[in-house]
Amino acid sequence: MSRPLRVAIVGAGPAGIYAADALLKSEVAAEPGVSVDLFERMPAPFGLIRYGVAPDHPRIKGIITALHQVLDKPQIRLFGNVDYPNDITLDDLRAFYDAVVFSTGATADRALPVPGVDLDGSYGAADFVSWYDGHPDVPRTWPLTADKVAVLGVGNVALDVARVLAKTADELLPTEIPANVYDGLKLNQAKEIHVFGRRGPAQAKFSPMELRELDHSPSIEVIVDPEDIDYDEGSIATRRGNKQADMVAKTLENWAIRDVGDRPHKLFLHFFESPVEILGEDGKVVGLRTERTALDGTGNVKGTGEFKDWDLGAVYRAVGYLSDALPKLPWDEATGTVPDEGGRVIENGEHLQSTYVTGWIRRGPIGLIGHTKGDANETVSNLLDDHANGRLHTPSSPAPEAVEAFLAERQVRYTTWDGWYRLDSAEKALGEPQGRERVKIVEREDMLRASGA
Ligand SMILES: Cc1cc2nc3c(=O)[nH]c(=O)nc-3n(C[C@H](O)[C@H](O)[C@H](O)COP(=O)(O)OP(=O)(O)OC[C@H]3O[C@@H](n4cnc5c(N)ncnc54)[C@H](O)[C@@H]3O)c2cc1C
């Protein structure tokens, strides 16, 4: 093949950008060359780094700098505000590209099957995260009227949600939170935040550093009940075999034995409490019923039949994210992922020719940004192997201009990488008068205008 290899990547989150990077670092990139087009439904790239990671984690947002350098490469184009399949279908992509990689991540909340989950005041963490991160497609207000709040789940998303609920609006002001989020947080009445886990300290899924950061806020008093520190043989084995789990358990132990201080917002980390019902009155959340659990020797827990009702005004369910099935691709309902082998999409036991997946849509919604890099490398290595062995299909219109003409003809208002620079400057300019690094622009129309779409 004398022309460059043409690859479409759908989803410009970390996995998609790392996949583009891997393609450009490959031998094929030198000769005959690789050209990559990223299609992203948001007007801006970066996926959950922009619309998931909490605003008070600027250190992690530094990863954007590395991803920036990838997107700066001339062989990569970004087509933002382009939705698969509404704006471009699989057949369209096949007409333009030798291969298509899907890296569409995860956006929604996993269901929690307990009664009362639909009550007013029972919220999915993903919805709250989308609000405070200024996602373009969600309402701009959030009811923060409850003074006692539950967060269900013991992973990093639960920590983010609990921390944002427990911090003051002014603590979050130096971050990039949009004006409507600052105004909303100013009205936040939460004084007690109760985080609940079914299992024990050794089974918590927090990252040690994220957990310790909870204690750095001058407005948050983190409280752990000494009764909740318990280990069985399975837990001890987990601690021995997993350094992170051991560090988390040690931090929790230290917090359990110290005196409770007087910081204004109390954040309780409860273990061995399994939520069994969200309690309501007149359609609104008024509490949570939990069942006390106990370790069974293996690190798992069983119910003790001892129930407790907690008086609470809102419940946030942070029990995991969920990916959306992608039209025209096979789907595994059980795992909520596209079935694959080494990143090759598998349908009826066969590789769906020239079609690949990477990131959370492939592995499920677990793991940090850095984990998507190895995943992208594996997918790309198999794609290149298929290319080297003549297993890719041949597109009918491989010329790069054909895609632009197609989108223009469809009247899709797409953004570009240059457009991101314009949006970036506009957000920085918004922050400057307040001495802030940036303030996010949230409305889709405003983002498109700032990007010059
Ligand atoms: C609340 C939260 C906080 C987190 N905090 C951290 C943290 O602090 N540190 C850390 O390392 N990791 C964190 N993570 C994990 C990290 O965000 C993920 O590991 C990573 O974003 C997964 O990358 P991805 O590219 O697979 O998916 P995503 O980041 O979800 O990117 C997928 C992209 O595809 C786009 N897309 C989806 N569907 C379509 C479609 N149909 N057409 C076109 N485009 C589409 C999406 O808009 C998105 O831009 C957090 C995750 C969550 C949920």
Side-chain angles (χ1 to χ4, degrees):
M1 189 168 69
S2 55
R3 63 171 173 81
L5 175 70
R6 299 265 297 132
V7 180
I9 298 179
V10 182
I17 301 174
Y18 284 131
D21 191 34
L23 282 160
L24 290 188
K25 284 179 174 153
S26 69
E27 280 178 18
V28 182
E31 185 59 42
V34 176
S35 91
V36 179
D37 289 343
L38 280 152
F39 295 91
E40 167 57 51
R41 62 151 63 127
M42 292 295 138
F46 306 124
L48 285 169
I49 300 181
R50 187 173 162 99
Y51 294 120
V53 172
D56 55 349
H57 273 175
R59 192 170 21 83
I60 283 168
K61 296 207 175 181
I63 295 177
I64 288 192
T65 311
L67 299 180
H68 239 260
Q69 285 164 2
V70 176
L71 293 177
D72 274 336
K73 294 185 180 166
Q75 301 94 325
I76 299 180
R77 296 188 299 182
L78 173 72
F79 294 99
N81 201 39
V82 180
D83 180 78
Y84 172 89
N86 291 320
D87 298 316
I88 194 158
T89 65
L90 186 55
D91 286 342
D92 299 330
L93 291 165
R94 289 221 166 103
F96 300 127
Y97 300 94
D98 298 286
V100 184
V101 180
F102 286 89
S103 49
T104 46
T107 46
D109 284 291
R110 193 157 68 79
L112 178 71
V114 299
V117 81
D118 295 324
L119 287 165
D120 188 8
S122 157
Y123 307 115
D127 293 334
F128 182 53
V129 169
S130 292
W131 173 73
Y132 69 60
D133 267 344
H135 191 291
D137 304 331
V138 303
R140 295 287 154 244
T141 55
W142 192 271
L144 290 162
T145 49
D147 62 345
K148 291 182 191 167
V149 173
V151 179
L152 312 184
V154 281
N156 289 337
V157 176
L159 283 188
D160 284 350
V161 167
R163 201 179 58 251
V164 171
L165 286 168
K167 275 188 172 178
T168 62
D170 285 322
E171 274 180 277
L172 289 163
L173 186 59
T175 71
E176 63 187 35
I177 49 165
N180 69 294
V181 173
Y182 175 70
D183 293 344
L185 290 172
K186 270 270 191 217
L187 302 174
N188 183 10
Q189 300 297 312
K191 303 282 177 298
E192 277 185 26
I193 292 93
H194 296 262
V195 178
F196 292 95
R198 297 177 46 242
R199 301 200 284 165
Q203 289 80 29
K205 299 287 177 238
F206 309 133
S207 303
M209 204 163 61
E210 292 249 343
L211 182 65
R212 285 196 301 265
E213 269 176 21
L214 259 196
D215 208 31
H216 296 168
S217 159
S219 46
I220 307 180
E221 194 66 48
V222 188
I223 302 166
V224 179
D225 186 341
E227 291 277 308
D228 284 358
I229 303 294
D230 194 20
Y231 307 106
D232 62 356
E233 299 249 324
S235 311
I236 292 163
T238 301
R239 288 186 66 172
R240 280 212 190 100
N242 181 336
K243 203 169 162 219
Q244 305 257 325
D246 188 50
M247 286 161 79
V248 164
K250 277 196 183 116
T251 300
L252 294 168
E253 283 167 12
N254 288 336
W255 288 348
I257 54 170
R258 70 181 177 184
D259 293 334
V260 175
D262 57 3
R263 297 185 206 179
H265 299 160
K266 309 291 177 221
L267 199 160
F268 298 85
L269 296 173
H270 303 286
F271 297 93
F272 302 113
E273 295 290 352
S274 175
V276 291
E277 184 175 352
I278 300 173
L279 306 170
E281 246 174 53
D282 301 329
K284 289 199 171 78
V285 170
V286 294
L288 178 75
R289 180 164 300 154
T290 58
E291 181 181 10
R292 188 76 185 163
T293 60
L295 288 160
D296 68 359
T298 67
N300 278 320
V301 288
K302 51 184 184 330
T304 62
E306 192 188 313
F307 294 90
K308 181 167 176 179
D309 289 355
W310 307 76
D311 172 22
L312 300 159
V315 174
Y316 289 77
R317 308 176 312 268
V319 293
Y321 268 53
L322 195 66
S323 297
D324 288 326
L326 287 165
K328 299 282 179 193
L329 291 200
W331 186 245
D332 183 338
E333 279 294 341
T335 58
T337 57
V338 173
D340 80 295
E341 277 171 21
R344 294 181 175 104
V345 173
I346 300 294
E347 188 171 48
N348 302 324
E350 302 271 319
H351 178 204
L352 190 62
Q353 193 186 18
S354 291
T355 316
Y356 302 83
V357 272
T358 187
W360 275 16
I361 188 73
R362 173 185 175 204
R363 299 260 177 175
I366 308 164
L368 298 173
I369 297 161
H371 298 136
T372 62
K373 191 170 186 175
D375 188 74
N377 286 343
E378 186 186 6
T379 295
V380 166
S381 140
N382 285 324
L383 185 161
L384 292 171
D385 186 58
D386 290 343
H387 171 57
N389 290 292
R391 291 192 287 262
L392 297 183
H393 88 136
T394 305
S396 53
S397 309
E401 312 79 59
V403 187
E404 285 165 321
F406 167 87
L407 292 173
E409 196 197 323
R410 289 276 182 103
Q411 301 189 334
V412 179
R413 289 176 67 197
Y414 63 86
T415 58
T416 60
W417 182 233
D418 285 345
W420 160 256
Y421 271 102
R422 287 190 282 272
L423 176 64
D424 191 40
S425 303
E427 291 190 337
K428 285 178 176 153
L430 269 183
E432 207 182 333
Q434 303 169 40
R436 296 163 65 186
E437 196 186 319
R438 75 166 66 229
V439 174
K440 254 187 200 168
I441 295 177
V442 286
E443 300 298 346
R444 190 175 281 263
E445 191 50 44
D446 295 342
M447 292 177 77
L448 291 175
R449 209 174 306 117
S451 307

